[in-house]
């Protein structure tokens, strides 16, 4: 089925967890009911091998399996965005596997190499694009220190359709939007809490790990923002802040932990997280989570 990728990117990019079994091995089948609920709620584009999916804790073989299984479970109901990254050879291998699995586009993690260079990143993105056979790409920007000039150089590459802006700098985002081709879709990459200020300067759509647990709330926030109703959007976001505050603790080390703990508490156990993520929640964190889930009617 053909999808309008530009339109989908302005929706909710739902970052799926990676489930594990009791032995700590990936267990993709556990995602089936989570994907079904998210798509039924109206989530626009499921994302596999993102950071909420513990991308950097997976082997490349595991990431290849996850993209194949997620594409199979989505089964043409929505476009699938597939995360790729790490060393160039792993990134290219995963890009090829993602294309073969049926992914609609790639999300390219910003290289974490300690010696990454802006022009080297251009070469990196070109190689990944070629390895995928020309799949459209969304750049995942977690560090805007490369500057507007270098962001534009990346956005000018063939195949780049959008940027997941994951830095809390709306004014730098505004500069980048003004400098780049107007066809680029700028997606709020810091989930629901940061969506309103990023929307205010031109971002459209946002990424979400909340969709694993409460996709209906993510969809309601998106609907309000698309209507320009910031009052409603902020009210909906404020009601979920206890959950997001848990995820932000321990230097953001409980980000995925909070999601997986909430899944377990609501009957969708997807296992633990892998180190160096924190696991499990502390007693105080777990109590706060359980109170939140009860208050919003999820348990």
């Amino acid at each position: 089925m053909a999808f309008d990728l530009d339109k989908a990117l302005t929706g909710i990019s739902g970052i799926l967890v990676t489930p594990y079994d009791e032995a700590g091995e990936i267990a993709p089948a556990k995602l089936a009911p989570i994907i079904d609920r998210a798509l039924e709620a109206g989530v626009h584009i499921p994302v596999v091998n993102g950071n909420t999916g513990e991308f950097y804790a997976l082997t490349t073989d595991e990431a290849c399996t996850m993209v194949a299984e997620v594409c199979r479970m989505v089964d043409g109901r929505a476009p699938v965005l597939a995360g790729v990254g790490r060393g160039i050879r792993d990134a290219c291998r995963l890009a090829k596997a993602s294309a073969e699995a049926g992914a609609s586009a790639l999300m390219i993690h910003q290289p974490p190499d300690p010696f990454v260079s802006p022009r080297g990143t251009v070469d990196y993105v070109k190689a990944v694009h070629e390895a995928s056979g020309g799949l459209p790409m969304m750049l995942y920007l977690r560090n805007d220190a490369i500057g507007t000039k270098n962001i534009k150089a990346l956005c000018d590459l063939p195949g780049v359709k959008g940027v997941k802006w994951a830095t809390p700098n709306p004014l730098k985002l505004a500069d980048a939007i003004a400098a780049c081709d107007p066809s680029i879709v700028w997606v709020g990459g810091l989930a629901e809490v940061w969506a309103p200020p990023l929307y205010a300067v031109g971002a459209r759509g946002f990424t979400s790990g909340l969709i694993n647990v409460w996709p209906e709330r993510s969809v309601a926030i998106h609907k309000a923002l698309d209507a320009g109703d910031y009052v409603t959007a902020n009210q909906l976001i404020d009601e979920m802040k206890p959950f997001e505050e848990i995820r932000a603790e321990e230097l953001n080390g409980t980000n995925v932990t909070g999601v997986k703990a909430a899944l377990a508490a609501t009957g969708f156990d997807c296992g633990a997280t892998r180190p160096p993520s924190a696991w499990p929640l502390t007693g105080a964190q777990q109590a706060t989570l359980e109170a939140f889930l009860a208050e919003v009617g999820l348990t």
Side-chain angles (χ1 to χ4, degrees), residues 5 9 13 15 45-50 55 63-64 67-68 71 79-85 88 90-110 124-141 158-164 185 187 207:
L5 183 61
L9 288 175
S13 298
I15 319 297
I45 183 165
V47 183
V48 59
N49 294 328
F55 176 68
C64 289
V67 69
C71 286
V80 173
L81 189 60
V84 304
I88 186 62
D90 282 332
C92 287
R93 179 184 165 205
L94 185 50
K96 183 175 185 291
S98 298
E100 291 171 347
S104 299
L106 303 178
M107 178 183 72
I108 303 184
H109 290 267
Q110 196 168 13
Y124 181 98
V125 173
K126 284 180 179 177
V128 169
H129 187 234
E130 182 179 348
S132 75
L135 277 184
M137 299 177 292
M138 181 167 78
L139 307 174
Y140 184 177
L141 191 71
V160 174
K161 301 287 283 184
V163 178
K164 174 182 173 180
V185 179
V187 178
T207 59

Short mmCIF file of all heavy atoms in Angstrom, two decimals, residues 5 9 13 15 45-50 55 63-64 67-68 71 79-85 88 90-110 124-141 158-164 185 187 207:
data_model
loop_
_atom_site.label_atom_id
_atom_site.label_comp_id
_atom_site.label_asym_id
_atom_site.label_seq_id
_atom_site.Cartn_x
_atom_site.Cartn_y
_atom_site.Cartn_z
N LEU A 5 4.14 9.79 2.79
CA LEU A 5 5.14 9.80 3.86
C LEU A 5 5.25 11.17 4.50
O LEU A 5 5.38 11.28 5.72
CB LEU A 5 6.49 9.34 3.32
CG LEU A 5 7.62 9.24 4.36
CD1 LEU A 5 7.28 8.23 5.44
CD2 LEU A 5 8.93 8.87 3.66
N LEU A 9 4.76 11.76 8.48
CA LEU A 9 5.79 12.32 9.35
C LEU A 9 5.27 13.48 10.19
O LEU A 9 5.81 13.76 11.26
CB LEU A 9 7.00 12.76 8.53
CG LEU A 9 7.86 11.64 7.94
CD1 LEU A 9 8.95 12.21 7.04
CD2 LEU A 9 8.47 10.77 9.03
N SER A 13 5.15 9.80 15.38
CA SER A 13 6.12 8.73 15.15
C SER A 13 6.23 7.95 16.45
O SER A 13 6.83 8.41 17.43
CB SER A 13 7.50 9.31 14.75
OG SER A 13 7.41 10.04 13.55
N ILE A 15 7.59 5.38 18.84
CA ILE A 15 8.83 4.62 19.01
C ILE A 15 8.56 3.37 19.85
O ILE A 15 8.33 3.44 21.06
CB ILE A 15 9.93 5.47 19.68
CG1 ILE A 15 9.94 6.90 19.13
CG2 ILE A 15 11.28 4.79 19.50
CD1 ILE A 15 10.25 7.02 17.67
N ILE A 45 2.77 6.52 12.36
CA ILE A 45 3.94 5.84 11.80
C ILE A 45 4.73 5.14 12.90
O ILE A 45 5.41 5.78 13.69
CB ILE A 45 4.81 6.83 10.98
CG1 ILE A 45 6.00 6.14 10.32
CG2 ILE A 45 5.24 8.03 11.79
CD1 ILE A 45 6.65 6.98 9.23
N PRO A 46 4.63 3.82 12.99
CA PRO A 46 5.42 3.10 13.99
C PRO A 46 6.90 3.12 13.64
O PRO A 46 7.27 3.07 12.46
CB PRO A 46 4.87 1.66 13.93
CG PRO A 46 3.98 1.59 12.75
CD PRO A 46 3.74 2.95 12.22
N VAL A 47 7.73 3.21 14.68
CA VAL A 47 9.18 3.30 14.50
C VAL A 47 9.84 2.14 15.23
O VAL A 47 9.62 1.95 16.44
CB VAL A 47 9.73 4.64 15.04
CG1 VAL A 47 11.23 4.74 14.76
CG2 VAL A 47 8.99 5.82 14.42
N VAL A 48 10.65 1.38 14.52
CA VAL A 48 11.39 0.27 15.10
C VAL A 48 12.86 0.65 15.16
O VAL A 48 13.35 1.40 14.32
CB VAL A 48 11.18 -1.02 14.28
CG1 VAL A 48 11.63 -0.85 12.84
CG2 VAL A 48 11.88 -2.21 14.92
N ASN A 49 13.55 0.15 16.18
CA ASN A 49 14.98 0.42 16.37
C ASN A 49 15.26 1.88 16.66
O ASN A 49 16.28 2.44 16.21
CB ASN A 49 15.80 -0.08 15.17
CG ASN A 49 15.79 -1.59 15.04
OD1 ASN A 49 15.72 -2.30 16.03
ND2 ASN A 49 15.83 -2.09 13.82
N GLY A 50 14.38 2.51 17.43
CA GLY A 50 14.63 3.84 17.95
C GLY A 50 15.22 3.75 19.34
O GLY A 50 15.47 2.65 19.87
N PHE A 55 17.97 0.85 20.92
CA PHE A 55 18.76 0.57 19.72
C PHE A 55 20.21 0.25 20.04
O PHE A 55 20.79 -0.70 19.49
CB PHE A 55 18.69 1.77 18.76
CG PHE A 55 19.54 1.61 17.53
CD1 PHE A 55 19.23 0.68 16.57
CD2 PHE A 55 20.67 2.41 17.35
CE1 PHE A 55 20.02 0.53 15.43
CE2 PHE A 55 21.46 2.27 16.22
CZ PHE A 55 21.14 1.33 15.25
N ALA A 63 18.67 -6.14 15.63
CA ALA A 63 17.98 -5.01 15.00
C ALA A 63 17.40 -5.42 13.65
O ALA A 63 16.28 -5.00 13.29
CB ALA A 63 18.94 -3.83 14.84
N CYS A 64 18.12 -6.23 12.90
CA CYS A 64 17.60 -6.74 11.62
C CYS A 64 16.35 -7.59 11.85
O CYS A 64 15.37 -7.49 11.09
CB CYS A 64 18.67 -7.54 10.89
SG CYS A 64 20.05 -6.57 10.22
N VAL A 67 13.29 -5.24 12.77
CA VAL A 67 12.63 -4.51 11.67
C VAL A 67 11.82 -5.46 10.81
O VAL A 67 10.71 -5.12 10.37
CB VAL A 67 13.66 -3.70 10.84
CG1 VAL A 67 14.60 -4.57 10.04
CG2 VAL A 67 12.93 -2.73 9.92
N ALA A 68 12.32 -6.66 10.59
CA ALA A 68 11.56 -7.63 9.80
C ALA A 68 10.26 -8.01 10.50
O ALA A 68 9.19 -8.07 9.88
CB ALA A 68 12.41 -8.88 9.55
N CYS A 71 7.69 -4.95 10.62
CA CYS A 71 7.05 -4.77 9.32
C CYS A 71 6.00 -5.86 9.07
O CYS A 71 4.92 -5.58 8.53
CB CYS A 71 8.09 -4.77 8.21
SG CYS A 71 9.10 -3.27 8.12
N PRO A 79 2.89 3.21 7.31
CA PRO A 79 4.31 3.18 6.95
C PRO A 79 5.15 2.87 8.17
O PRO A 79 4.80 3.28 9.29
CB PRO A 79 4.58 4.60 6.43
CG PRO A 79 3.54 5.45 7.08
CD PRO A 79 2.33 4.57 7.27
N VAL A 80 6.24 2.17 8.00
CA VAL A 80 7.16 1.84 9.10
C VAL A 80 8.45 2.62 8.90
O VAL A 80 9.04 2.62 7.82
CB VAL A 80 7.45 0.34 9.15
CG1 VAL A 80 8.54 0.03 10.19
CG2 VAL A 80 6.18 -0.45 9.47
N LEU A 81 8.87 3.29 9.97
CA LEU A 81 10.13 4.03 9.97
C LEU A 81 11.15 3.17 10.71
O LEU A 81 10.91 2.77 11.86
CB LEU A 81 9.93 5.37 10.67
CG LEU A 81 11.05 6.40 10.63
CD1 LEU A 81 11.38 6.80 9.20
CD2 LEU A 81 10.65 7.63 11.45
N ALA A 82 12.27 2.88 10.07
CA ALA A 82 13.26 1.97 10.63
C ALA A 82 14.52 2.71 11.02
O ALA A 82 15.15 3.35 10.18
CB ALA A 82 13.59 0.87 9.62
N GLY A 83 14.90 2.60 12.29
CA GLY A 83 16.13 3.23 12.76
C GLY A 83 17.36 2.48 12.31
O GLY A 83 17.39 1.25 12.33
N VAL A 84 18.38 3.23 11.87
CA VAL A 84 19.68 2.65 11.54
C VAL A 84 20.76 3.54 12.14
O VAL A 84 20.55 4.73 12.36
CB VAL A 84 19.89 2.51 10.01
CG1 VAL A 84 18.78 1.70 9.38
CG2 VAL A 84 20.01 3.87 9.33
N GLY A 85 21.94 2.96 12.37
CA GLY A 85 23.01 3.76 12.93
C GLY A 85 24.21 2.93 13.35
O GLY A 85 24.39 1.82 12.90
N ILE A 88 29.52 2.61 10.24
CA ILE A 88 29.00 2.72 8.90
C ILE A 88 28.62 1.37 8.31
O ILE A 88 27.60 1.24 7.62
CB ILE A 88 30.00 3.48 7.97
CG1 ILE A 88 29.39 3.71 6.60
CG2 ILE A 88 31.33 2.75 7.87
CD1 ILE A 88 28.17 4.56 6.61
N ASP A 90 27.69 -1.42 9.92
CA ASP A 90 26.46 -1.88 10.57
C ASP A 90 25.26 -1.07 10.07
O ASP A 90 24.19 -1.63 9.83
CB ASP A 90 26.57 -1.74 12.09
CG ASP A 90 27.40 -2.84 12.73
OD1 ASP A 90 27.45 -3.94 12.15
OD2 ASP A 90 28.00 -2.60 13.79
N ALA A 91 25.44 0.24 9.94
CA ALA A 91 24.34 1.09 9.48
C ALA A 91 23.90 0.70 8.08
O ALA A 91 22.69 0.62 7.79
CB ALA A 91 24.76 2.56 9.53
N CYS A 92 24.85 0.45 7.20
CA CYS A 92 24.51 0.07 5.83
C CYS A 92 23.85 -1.31 5.78
O CYS A 92 22.90 -1.52 5.02
CB CYS A 92 25.75 0.10 4.95
SG CYS A 92 26.33 1.78 4.58
N ARG A 93 24.35 -2.22 6.59
CA ARG A 93 23.75 -3.56 6.62
C ARG A 93 22.30 -3.47 7.10
O ARG A 93 21.40 -4.10 6.53
CB ARG A 93 24.56 -4.48 7.55
CG ARG A 93 23.97 -5.87 7.64
CD ARG A 93 24.72 -6.73 8.63
NE ARG A 93 23.93 -7.91 8.95
CZ ARG A 93 24.04 -8.60 10.08
NH1 ARG A 93 24.90 -8.21 11.00
NH2 ARG A 93 23.29 -9.65 10.30
N LEU A 94 22.07 -2.68 8.14
CA LEU A 94 20.72 -2.54 8.68
C LEU A 94 19.81 -1.78 7.72
O LEU A 94 18.62 -2.07 7.62
CB LEU A 94 20.78 -1.86 10.05
CG LEU A 94 19.49 -1.73 10.83
CD1 LEU A 94 18.73 -3.06 10.94
CD2 LEU A 94 19.76 -1.17 12.22
N ALA A 95 20.37 -0.81 7.00
CA ALA A 95 19.58 -0.09 6.00
C ALA A 95 19.10 -1.04 4.91
O ALA A 95 17.93 -1.00 4.49
CB ALA A 95 20.41 1.04 5.39
N LYS A 96 19.97 -1.90 4.44
CA LYS A 96 19.61 -2.89 3.42
C LYS A 96 18.56 -3.85 3.95
O LYS A 96 17.56 -4.16 3.27
CB LYS A 96 20.86 -3.65 2.96
CG LYS A 96 20.63 -4.65 1.84
CD LYS A 96 21.96 -5.24 1.40
CE LYS A 96 21.79 -6.16 0.19
NZ LYS A 96 21.07 -7.41 0.54
N ALA A 97 18.74 -4.33 5.18
CA ALA A 97 17.78 -5.25 5.79
C ALA A 97 16.42 -4.58 5.98
O ALA A 97 15.37 -5.21 5.81
CB ALA A 97 18.31 -5.76 7.12
N SER A 98 16.44 -3.29 6.34
CA SER A 98 15.19 -2.55 6.54
C SER A 98 14.42 -2.41 5.24
O SER A 98 13.19 -2.56 5.20
CB SER A 98 15.48 -1.17 7.13
OG SER A 98 16.11 -1.28 8.40
N ALA A 99 15.14 -2.13 4.16
CA ALA A 99 14.50 -2.04 2.85
C ALA A 99 13.91 -3.38 2.44
O ALA A 99 12.76 -3.46 1.97
CB ALA A 99 15.51 -1.56 1.80
N GLU A 100 14.66 -4.45 2.66
CA GLU A 100 14.18 -5.79 2.30
C GLU A 100 12.97 -6.20 3.13
O GLU A 100 12.10 -6.94 2.66
CB GLU A 100 15.31 -6.80 2.46
CG GLU A 100 16.43 -6.62 1.43
CD GLU A 100 17.64 -7.48 1.72
OE1 GLU A 100 17.73 -8.04 2.85
OE2 GLU A 100 18.52 -7.56 0.83
N ALA A 101 12.89 -5.69 4.37
CA ALA A 101 11.77 -6.03 5.26
C ALA A 101 10.50 -5.29 4.87
O ALA A 101 9.40 -5.69 5.28
CB ALA A 101 12.13 -5.70 6.70
N GLY A 102 10.63 -4.21 4.11
CA GLY A 102 9.47 -3.45 3.70
C GLY A 102 9.27 -2.13 4.41
O GLY A 102 8.18 -1.54 4.34
N ALA A 103 10.32 -1.65 5.10
CA ALA A 103 10.21 -0.33 5.75
C ALA A 103 9.98 0.75 4.69
O ALA A 103 10.48 0.67 3.58
CB ALA A 103 11.49 -0.03 6.53
N SER A 104 9.21 1.77 5.09
CA SER A 104 8.91 2.86 4.16
C SER A 104 10.00 3.91 4.12
O SER A 104 10.16 4.62 3.11
CB SER A 104 7.59 3.53 4.57
OG SER A 104 6.52 2.61 4.52
N ALA A 105 10.73 4.05 5.21
CA ALA A 105 11.76 5.08 5.31
C ALA A 105 12.72 4.72 6.44
O ALA A 105 12.42 3.86 7.28
CB ALA A 105 11.14 6.45 5.57
N LEU A 106 13.87 5.38 6.44
CA LEU A 106 14.88 5.18 7.48
C LEU A 106 14.93 6.39 8.41
O LEU A 106 14.77 7.52 7.97
CB LEU A 106 16.27 4.99 6.86
CG LEU A 106 16.45 3.87 5.86
CD1 LEU A 106 17.88 3.89 5.32
CD2 LEU A 106 16.13 2.51 6.48
N MET A 107 15.16 6.13 9.68
CA MET A 107 15.50 7.17 10.64
C MET A 107 16.97 6.98 10.97
O MET A 107 17.36 5.95 11.54
CB MET A 107 14.65 7.06 11.91
CG MET A 107 15.01 8.11 12.97
SD MET A 107 14.07 7.92 14.50
CE MET A 107 14.84 6.44 15.18
N ILE A 108 17.80 7.95 10.60
CA ILE A 108 19.24 7.79 10.76
C ILE A 108 19.70 8.42 12.06
O ILE A 108 19.68 9.65 12.22
CB ILE A 108 20.00 8.40 9.57
CG1 ILE A 108 19.51 7.76 8.27
CG2 ILE A 108 21.50 8.21 9.74
CD1 ILE A 108 20.24 8.19 7.04
N HIS A 109 20.07 7.57 13.02
CA HIS A 109 20.60 8.06 14.28
C HIS A 109 21.85 8.89 14.03
O HIS A 109 22.70 8.52 13.22
CB HIS A 109 20.96 6.89 15.20
CG HIS A 109 19.79 6.12 15.73
ND1 HIS A 109 19.21 6.42 16.94
CD2 HIS A 109 19.11 5.07 15.22
CE1 HIS A 109 18.21 5.57 17.15
NE2 HIS A 109 18.14 4.74 16.12
N GLN A 110 21.97 10.00 14.74
CA GLN A 110 23.18 10.83 14.61
C GLN A 110 24.37 10.04 15.13
O GLN A 110 24.34 9.52 16.25
CB GLN A 110 23.00 12.12 15.41
CG GLN A 110 23.98 13.21 15.06
CD GLN A 110 23.58 14.55 15.67
OE1 GLN A 110 22.71 14.61 16.54
NE2 GLN A 110 24.19 15.62 15.22
N TYR A 124 28.42 9.65 5.50
CA TYR A 124 27.73 8.56 6.21
C TYR A 124 26.30 8.43 5.69
O TYR A 124 25.84 7.33 5.33
CB TYR A 124 27.75 8.89 7.70
CG TYR A 124 27.13 7.91 8.65
CD1 TYR A 124 27.91 6.98 9.33
CD2 TYR A 124 25.77 7.94 8.93
CE1 TYR A 124 27.35 6.10 10.25
CE2 TYR A 124 25.20 7.07 9.84
CZ TYR A 124 25.99 6.15 10.50
OH TYR A 124 25.42 5.28 11.42
N VAL A 125 25.59 9.54 5.64
CA VAL A 125 24.19 9.52 5.19
C VAL A 125 24.09 9.09 3.73
O VAL A 125 23.21 8.31 3.36
CB VAL A 125 23.53 10.90 5.42
CG1 VAL A 125 22.13 10.94 4.80
CG2 VAL A 125 23.46 11.21 6.91
N LYS A 126 25.00 9.55 2.90
CA LYS A 126 25.02 9.15 1.49
C LYS A 126 25.18 7.63 1.37
O LYS A 126 24.48 6.97 0.58
CB LYS A 126 26.17 9.83 0.76
CG LYS A 126 25.95 11.28 0.41
CD LYS A 126 27.19 11.81 -0.32
CE LYS A 126 27.04 13.26 -0.72
NZ LYS A 126 28.28 13.78 -1.38
N ALA A 127 26.10 7.06 2.15
CA ALA A 127 26.35 5.62 2.08
C ALA A 127 25.15 4.82 2.54
O ALA A 127 24.80 3.79 1.95
CB ALA A 127 27.60 5.27 2.91
N VAL A 128 24.51 5.27 3.61
CA VAL A 128 23.33 4.58 4.13
C VAL A 128 22.20 4.63 3.10
O VAL A 128 21.52 3.62 2.85
CB VAL A 128 22.88 5.21 5.46
CG1 VAL A 128 21.51 4.69 5.87
CG2 VAL A 128 23.91 4.90 6.56
N HIS A 129 22.01 5.78 2.48
CA HIS A 129 20.97 5.94 1.47
C HIS A 129 21.20 4.97 0.31
O HIS A 129 20.27 4.28 -0.15
CB HIS A 129 20.97 7.38 0.97
CG HIS A 129 19.84 7.71 0.05
ND1 HIS A 129 20.04 8.26 -1.19
CD2 HIS A 129 18.49 7.56 0.19
CE1 HIS A 129 18.86 8.44 -1.78
NE2 HIS A 129 17.92 8.03 -0.97
N GLU A 130 22.43 4.89 -0.13
CA GLU A 130 22.76 3.98 -1.24
C GLU A 130 22.53 2.53 -0.83
O GLU A 130 21.99 1.73 -1.61
CB GLU A 130 24.22 4.19 -1.66
CG GLU A 130 24.65 3.32 -2.83
CD GLU A 130 26.08 3.56 -3.25
OE1 GLU A 130 26.68 4.57 -2.80
OE2 GLU A 130 26.62 2.76 -4.04
N ALA A 131 22.94 2.16 0.38
CA ALA A 131 22.78 0.77 0.84
C ALA A 131 21.32 0.35 0.91
O ALA A 131 20.98 -0.82 0.72
CB ALA A 131 23.44 0.60 2.20
N SER A 132 20.45 1.31 1.17
CA SER A 132 19.01 1.00 1.28
C SER A 132 18.33 0.89 -0.07
O SER A 132 17.14 0.54 -0.14
CB SER A 132 18.31 2.08 2.10
OG SER A 132 18.15 3.27 1.34
N GLY A 133 19.06 1.22 -1.13
CA GLY A 133 18.43 1.24 -2.44
C GLY A 133 17.64 2.51 -2.69
O GLY A 133 16.80 2.55 -3.60
N GLY A 134 17.89 3.54 -1.87
CA GLY A 134 17.23 4.82 -2.11
C GLY A 134 16.01 5.10 -1.27
O GLY A 134 15.18 5.94 -1.64
N LEU A 135 15.88 4.44 -0.11
CA LEU A 135 14.73 4.73 0.76
C LEU A 135 14.77 6.19 1.24
O LEU A 135 15.84 6.75 1.47
CB LEU A 135 14.75 3.82 2.00
CG LEU A 135 14.18 2.41 1.88
CD1 LEU A 135 14.21 1.73 3.25
CD2 LEU A 135 12.77 2.40 1.32
N PRO A 136 13.60 6.81 1.40
CA PRO A 136 13.55 8.14 2.01
C PRO A 136 14.15 8.10 3.42
O PRO A 136 14.12 7.05 4.08
CB PRO A 136 12.06 8.48 2.05
CG PRO A 136 11.43 7.56 1.07
CD PRO A 136 12.26 6.31 1.05
N MET A 137 14.63 9.24 3.89
CA MET A 137 15.32 9.28 5.18
C MET A 137 14.83 10.43 6.05
O MET A 137 14.53 11.52 5.55
CB MET A 137 16.83 9.45 4.97
CG MET A 137 17.48 8.34 4.18
SD MET A 137 19.26 8.65 3.89
CE MET A 137 19.17 10.04 2.76
N MET A 138 14.76 10.16 7.35
CA MET A 138 14.59 11.21 8.35
C MET A 138 15.86 11.23 9.19
O MET A 138 16.28 10.20 9.73
CB MET A 138 13.37 10.97 9.24
CG MET A 138 13.18 12.08 10.27
SD MET A 138 11.57 12.06 11.10
CE MET A 138 11.83 10.74 12.27
N LEU A 139 16.48 12.40 9.29
CA LEU A 139 17.68 12.56 10.11
C LEU A 139 17.27 12.73 11.57
O LEU A 139 16.34 13.48 11.87
CB LEU A 139 18.47 13.78 9.65
CG LEU A 139 18.82 13.84 8.17
CD1 LEU A 139 19.49 15.18 7.85
CD2 LEU A 139 19.72 12.68 7.78
N TYR A 140 17.97 12.07 12.46
CA TYR A 140 17.69 12.17 13.90
C TYR A 140 18.77 13.06 14.50
O TYR A 140 19.93 12.64 14.64
CB TYR A 140 17.71 10.77 14.50
CG TYR A 140 17.34 10.65 15.96
CD1 TYR A 140 17.28 9.39 16.56
CD2 TYR A 140 17.04 11.75 16.75
CE1 TYR A 140 16.95 9.24 17.90
CE2 TYR A 140 16.70 11.61 18.08
CZ TYR A 140 16.67 10.35 18.65
OH TYR A 140 16.34 10.20 19.98
N LEU A 141 18.42 14.29 14.82
CA LEU A 141 19.39 15.28 15.29
C LEU A 141 19.26 15.46 16.80
O LEU A 141 18.31 16.05 17.30
CB LEU A 141 19.15 16.62 14.59
CG LEU A 141 20.24 17.68 14.78
CD1 LEU A 141 21.50 17.30 14.02
CD2 LEU A 141 19.73 19.04 14.30
N PRO A 158 20.10 14.06 -1.39
CA PRO A 158 18.98 13.35 -1.99
C PRO A 158 18.39 12.33 -1.02
O PRO A 158 19.12 11.62 -0.34
CB PRO A 158 19.62 12.64 -3.19
CG PRO A 158 20.85 13.42 -3.49
CD PRO A 158 21.35 13.93 -2.17
N GLY A 159 17.08 12.28 -0.96
CA GLY A 159 16.41 11.29 -0.13
C GLY A 159 16.02 11.76 1.25
O GLY A 159 15.24 11.11 1.94
N VAL A 160 16.56 12.90 1.70
CA VAL A 160 16.21 13.39 3.04
C VAL A 160 14.83 14.05 2.98
O VAL A 160 14.63 15.04 2.26
CB VAL A 160 17.27 14.38 3.58
CG1 VAL A 160 16.80 14.98 4.91
CG2 VAL A 160 18.61 13.68 3.76
N LYS A 161 13.91 13.49 3.74
CA LYS A 161 12.53 14.00 3.75
C LYS A 161 12.22 14.80 5.00
O LYS A 161 11.30 15.62 5.00
CB LYS A 161 11.54 12.82 3.67
CG LYS A 161 11.70 11.96 2.45
CD LYS A 161 11.20 12.66 1.20
CE LYS A 161 9.68 12.64 1.13
NZ LYS A 161 9.17 13.23 -0.11
N GLY A 162 12.94 14.52 6.08
CA GLY A 162 12.61 15.19 7.33
C GLY A 162 13.73 15.13 8.34
O GLY A 162 14.75 14.45 8.13
N VAL A 163 13.54 15.85 9.43
CA VAL A 163 14.49 15.88 10.53
C VAL A 163 13.72 15.69 11.84
O VAL A 163 12.74 16.40 12.09
CB VAL A 163 15.26 17.22 10.59
CG1 VAL A 163 16.20 17.25 11.79
CG2 VAL A 163 16.03 17.47 9.30
N LYS A 164 14.17 14.74 12.61
CA LYS A 164 13.66 14.58 13.97
C LYS A 164 14.52 15.48 14.87
O LYS A 164 15.67 15.16 15.15
CB LYS A 164 13.75 13.11 14.41
CG LYS A 164 13.36 12.87 15.86
CD LYS A 164 13.53 11.40 16.23
CE LYS A 164 13.31 11.17 17.72
NZ LYS A 164 13.47 9.76 18.10
N VAL A 185 10.27 18.10 6.37
CA VAL A 185 9.37 18.01 7.50
C VAL A 185 10.20 18.00 8.78
O VAL A 185 11.07 17.15 8.96
CB VAL A 185 8.51 16.73 7.43
CG1 VAL A 185 7.58 16.64 8.65
CG2 VAL A 185 7.70 16.69 6.13
N VAL A 187 10.19 17.35 12.60
CA VAL A 187 9.39 16.60 13.57
C VAL A 187 9.93 16.87 14.98
O VAL A 187 11.14 16.80 15.22
CB VAL A 187 9.47 15.09 13.27
CG1 VAL A 187 8.69 14.29 14.31
CG2 VAL A 187 8.96 14.80 11.86
N THR A 207 7.57 12.70 18.09
CA THR A 207 7.87 11.32 18.44
C THR A 207 7.28 11.01 19.81
O THR A 207 7.08 11.90 20.63
CB THR A 207 9.37 11.06 18.45
OG1 THR A 207 9.99 11.93 19.40
CG2 THR A 207 9.98 11.31 17.07
#
